[in-house]
Amino acid sequence: MLLAEIADVGTDRFRGGYARHGFDRADLQLRAWFTEQAERRGLAVYTDRNGNLWAWWGEPGPGAVATGSHLDSVPGGGAFDGPLGVVSALAAVDVLRARDFVPARPIAVVVFAEEEGGRFGVPCLGSRLATGAIGPDTARGLRDPDGVSLAEAARAAGLNPAHLGRDDAALSGLRCFVELHVEQGRQLDLLPERTPVAVATSILAHGRWRLTFRGQGNHAGTTAVADRRDPMIPASSTVLAARRALAGTDARATVGRLVPTPGGTNVIPSSVDVWLDARAPSTPDTRKLVDEIVAAAREASAAEGCAVEVREESYGDAVTFDAALRDELAGLLGGVPALPTGAGHDAGILAARVPTAMLFVRNPTGVSHAPEEHAEPDDCAAGVAALASVLEHLAS
């Protein structure tokens, strides 16, 4: 399988899994690998103004059918999230060529840039820029943990950062976009029919917020408790508040990253940054959840003599995938299940501009965004077969 060819690219020797982030060394290596693979198949590859890669089977034009996913990862991510959709698209092209299929409509295999937001903090950055969901000035000013801006990283990768922004030319010719992805959860595995493939119905409303708690840095051994203004205390309280806020709901709230400054073992931090990921079925539900957590953060900060600043870094409304396209594909594939997901995807961003659908491949453990992420070879092959059937149908 093509995944084996990139198994050694961007391995994370500290956390396990992979560290592949937008325009870093591993990502650039993967982009070069994809370009070589696409050109080997006779596909014409170009990079759009936002760093997304497009590999065309046929001359680009109106009514095109697009598929693909991303190659970057979360920190310490698994092998399947993103790359499975890319390699399955290439493999589906191989299947169709073996059938002597000649598409009546152009087909594009797309690799979107910085989908996970692992470097610059905003997920689905390439598709957000293309659709206008994020402004180019905002995007250019995003910085990674080392202080490198997206503009600087894009320039180093050979892009002109002045060209970042909404790309109507790239999207206006698309008839639809279909993204194949490993399921992030085990809904498919728990179904009695044990089918390896499903179609997606919807994505939860979700976003990321950065809470910065500010207090007084001081000595861990000489500062009496009564004299402390320790921002770690309200930061920790906020982590617990996020869990408490979920009681009796079907929402999700997660603190996956917490960074104290200066970060010394024997130092009371002067500030602590906390990143909150919140998701719920609707925008009002998500906003209510975040408001409750932020209120708890402010109360805990005041009790410790600290201050807290809150900044929304990204947000996406709930997405319902195109119902007609979803039902068309489910029927084409023999009545496969239709499932919702709590995970965001480039397909969810594109859904505001283009009829969009998703295929899920079964994940036997449900683990994702971790090294243990997995899909069985036979299920991956079933995903390729399903995607090939979909592309043949849509491009005929």
Side-chain angles (χ1 to χ4, degrees):
M1 188 178 181
L2 284 170
L3 278 178
E5 294 193 11
I6 58 174
D8 294 331
V9 180
T11 53
D12 190 326
R13 61 192 183 95
F14 297 107
R15 292 168 291 205
Y18 295 93
R20 301 161 165 171
H21 308 309
F23 306 122
D24 70 2
R25 180 182 300 178
D27 186 54
L28 294 176
Q29 186 175 343
L30 291 171
R31 290 163 66 88
W33 171 86
F34 171 78
T35 299
E36 189 274 332
Q37 287 291 326
E39 290 177 342
R40 183 185 299 179
R41 289 164 171 79
L43 308 183
V45 182
Y46 88 95
T47 304
D48 70 18
R49 60 191 299 172
N50 297 304
N52 305 310
L53 294 173
W54 297 74
W56 285 95
W57 183 4
E59 190 69 24
V65 176
T67 186
S69 193
H70 61 96
L71 291 170
D72 64 304
S73 76
V74 297
F80 294 83
D81 177 2
L84 181 64
V86 174
V87 302
S88 294
L90 294 172
V93 169
D94 292 341
V95 169
L96 294 178
R97 287 194 185 281
R99 295 177 188 168
D100 295 323
F101 174 70
V102 178
R105 303 174 185 271
I107 294 175
V109 178
V110 192
V111 176
F112 286 103
E114 180 74 339
E115 192 270 354
E116 297 290 5
R119 182 173 182 184
F120 296 103
V122 175
C124 300
L125 190 53
S127 54
R128 285 182 190 271
L129 279 164
T131 58
I134 186 172
D137 288 339
T138 299
R140 280 188 283 264
L142 296 172
R143 293 188 178 273
D144 69 11
D146 295 322
V148 178
S149 71
L150 174 63
E152 293 166 337
R155 186 178 293 109
L159 300 173
N160 186 341
H163 292 168
L164 295 176
R166 180 168 169 145
D167 195 347
D168 292 329
L171 301 182
S172 62
L174 296 185
R175 178 190 181 198
C176 59
F177 175 76
V178 180
E179 181 172 4
L180 180 145
H181 206 280
V182 66
E183 188 192 1
Q184 294 169 293
R186 342 179 26 199
Q187 295 179 91
L188 256 177
D189 190 62
L190 295 174
L191 291 176
E193 53 265 48
R194 306 289 297 164
T195 180
V197 176
V199 295
T201 59
S202 58
I203 296 175
L204 294 178
H206 62 284
R208 299 181 183 185
W209 288 261
R210 179 175 179 173
L211 290 78
T212 300
F213 298 87
R214 301 192 188 279
Q216 175 61 63
N218 218 326
H219 195 292
T222 62
T223 310
V225 172
D227 295 333
R228 297 187 179 201
R229 294 168 43 235
D230 183 351
M232 187 62 78
I233 302 304
S236 302
S237 296
T238 301
V239 175
L240 298 176
R243 173 57 68 88
R244 289 195 301 269
L246 302 180
T249 76
D250 55 357
R252 297 93 193 259
T254 306
V255 174
R257 184 179 172 204
L258 184 153
V259 178
T261 300
T265 303
N266 59 345
V267 179
I268 298 169
S270 58
S271 67
V272 178
D273 286 309
V274 171
W275 282 264
L276 171 69
D277 179 298
R279 308 173 188 233
S282 71
T283 288
D285 290 338
T286 307
R287 296 294 185 189
K288 180 181 177 182
L289 173 67
V290 173
D291 287 346
E292 182 177 342
I293 296 168
V294 168
R298 295 193 190 285
E299 181 179 352
S301 294
E304 184 65 17
C306 294
V308 60
E309 303 166 9
V310 181
R311 185 175 72 192
E312 182 180 296
E313 294 197 331
S314 67
Y315 188 76
D317 289 329
V319 172
T320 299
F321 289 109
D322 185 276
L325 181 59
R326 178 198 68 213
D327 293 345
E328 181 181 359
L329 299 191
L332 174 71
L333 299 176
V336 297
L339 304 173
T341 181
H345 300 281
D346 290 306
I349 303 299
L350 292 185
R353 295 284 309 279
V354 178
T356 304
M358 290 194 71
L359 303 179
F360 290 139
V361 171
R362 180 169 49 197
N363 181 336
T365 66
V367 173
S368 187
H369 281 190
E372 296 79 15
E373 181 179 80
H374 183 67
E376 292 294 335
D378 286 348
D379 289 352
C380 293
V384 170
L387 183 58
S389 295
V390 165
L391 294 178
E392 183 176 25
H393 170 73
L394 293 173
S396 293

